[in-house]
Amino acid sequence: MRKTVKIANKVVGDNHPCFITAEIGINHNGSVEQAKKLIDMAASVGCDAVKFQKRTVDVVYTPEELAKERQSVFGETNGDLKRGLEFGFEQYKEIDSYCRKKNIIWYASCWDEQSVDFIEQFNVPCYKVASASLTDDNLLRYIRRTGKPVFLATGMSTSEQIQHAVEVLGEDDLIIYHCTSTYPTEISEINLKYITVLREKYNCPIGFSGHEKGILPTIMSAMLGANAVERHITTDRTLWGSDQAASLERDGINRIVRDIHQINTILGDGVKKVYDSELPIIKKLRRK
């Protein structure tokens, strides 16, 4: 039997409801109030969790990268932007309290060891390894030492790199996301069939982290056996920010939750039967 993973009061794996994460990421644009609106959206449509991103800016980026010219609402350099998008302790304390009030799980993808220590203050139930961090063995080991379940995103990675990351993390309490790291992803590069390859290769839950426009590929991923899915959300795709265009507004994430939860009912048990609802039709339409 395939392994399952427990996250707070939810079980992720075969024969359990698909675990749906709404990624807020940096779509809060540095505003806790905007983050709360996105938490409200995710909770109201029935998502299981929301996810944020956490970076120690001066660790993740080089001084040269931070000094690059980049106009934003926060200033004129890339460093101004990156620092403006990072929440500190008081902001995350407010987010933690608000998610508890809304009865929704929250966690983060941490891009460096200091960020793991920071998020650990809030006793989140799990972590995500971003695709960009898949080859960072030290970070993978550091996250694993928390003893929390891990979502592993596999965008911009070869099958060999994925195999190595799984060897570093181990398959226990691991969920592997199939992923393509372009925002938005062209449909010709989504490659959903790789979900079945991952399911055959690894004895742990397999999921899908989508960055495409629309909702069909994410719904299809659940039909192919994805035990967990993740999509970015926004209150308005036209808002300023690099991830907004590849995000879903309320109607989109609502339809994903609704449709994925109907998949098992729609698929049925594979046994052909005549339903009671068909009996009057038989009487009405059959001559013999």
Side-chain angles (χ1 to χ4, degrees):
M1 182 177 290
R2 182 180 295 272
K3 293 177 180 177
T4 59
V5 175
K6 189 170 184 182
I7 297 176
N9 61 341
K10 308 282 185 177
V11 178
V12 183
D14 293 349
N15 303 315
H16 293 276
C18 185
F19 187 90
I20 301 175
T21 296
E23 172 154 14
I24 293 173
I26 54 175
N27 279 355
H28 51 70
N29 284 347
S31 164
V32 172
E33 291 310 307
Q34 180 66 5
K36 287 181 177 180
K37 290 178 182 178
L38 293 167
I39 293 166
D40 285 341
M41 180 193 302
S44 68
V45 302
C47 292
D48 297 292
V50 292
K51 188 190 78 67
F52 292 85
Q53 297 177 14
K54 183 59 182 168
R55 299 172 176 89
T56 306
V57 172
D58 295 317
V59 171
V60 173
Y61 301 99
T62 65
E64 293 76 19
E65 182 66 28
L66 294 174
K68 285 181 179 177
E69 215 175 295
R70 188 172 182 181
Q71 296 291 329
S72 74
V73 295
F74 300 108
E76 299 180 353
T77 68
N78 196 33
D80 292 333
L81 170 62
K82 299 303 183 185
R83 293 186 181 93
L85 290 172
E86 287 299 325
F87 286 150
F89 180 81
E90 290 303 321
Q91 290 97 333
Y92 269 112
K93 184 178 178 182
E94 195 168 346
I95 286 166
D96 180 62
S97 175
Y98 197 72
C99 286
R100 292 178 190 278
K101 177 182 175 182
K102 293 294 179 176
N103 195 31
I104 191 168
I105 296 164
W106 79 272
Y107 62 102
S109 51
C110 296
W111 290 54
D112 60 275
E113 290 84 350
Q114 288 176 238
S115 292
V116 177
D117 291 341
F118 177 90
I119 294 295
E120 270 291 278
Q121 298 176 96
F122 303 98
N123 194 31
V124 295
C126 57
Y127 285 94
K128 181 187 173 187
V129 174
S131 294
S133 303
L134 180 138
T135 56
D136 188 339
D137 288 6
N138 289 335
L139 179 60
L140 266 56
R141 294 188 182 100
Y142 201 83
I143 291 173
R144 187 47 103 188
R145 283 201 289 270
T146 66
K148 309 285 180 63
V150 175
F151 289 92
L152 174 67
T154 59
M156 54 182 153
S157 305
T158 66
S159 57
E160 291 77 17
Q161 288 171 327
I162 296 169
Q163 174 63 30
H164 176 75
V166 173
E167 289 172 359
V168 171
L169 290 167
E171 291 187 18
D172 291 339
D173 279 339
L174 179 68
I175 301 159
I176 304 172
Y177 275 142
H178 171 51
C179 177
T180 303
S181 296
T182 47
Y183 298 74
T185 305
E186 295 293 332
I187 61 171
S188 59
E189 297 180 348
I190 296 173
N191 193 23
L192 281 184
K193 282 188 177 180
Y194 194 63
I195 290 171
T196 62
V197 174
L198 291 170
R199 282 181 59 85
E200 290 169 3
K201 189 171 184 178
Y202 299 109
N203 182 25
C204 60
I206 304 300
F208 175 64
S209 177
H211 305 121
E212 72 277 6
K213 291 180 179 179
I215 64 173
L216 181 59
T218 302
I219 294 166
M220 289 175 64
S221 74
M223 293 186 67
L224 287 172
N227 305 121
V229 300
E230 173 191 273
R231 287 297 304 270
H232 288 257
I233 61 168
T234 180
T235 55
D236 183 347
R237 283 196 300 273
T238 67
L239 287 174
W240 174 87
S242 58
D243 293 345
Q244 306 285 0
S247 301
L248 296 173
E249 296 173 355
R250 189 185 191 283
D251 182 58
I253 191 64
N254 180 56
R255 289 166 65 190
I256 278 180
V257 174
R258 179 198 67 192
D259 292 354
I260 285 178
H261 285 169
Q262 290 178 343
I263 284 174
N264 286 337
T265 303
I266 293 168
L267 290 175
D269 58 12
V271 177
K272 180 59 178 168
K273 56 180 74 74
V274 177
Y275 294 97
D276 289 343
S277 61
E278 294 180 294
L279 297 178
I281 313 302
I282 292 172
K283 291 180 180 180
K284 181 179 180 181
L285 299 181
R286 266 196 185 143
R287 289 184 60 217
K288 298 182 181 179

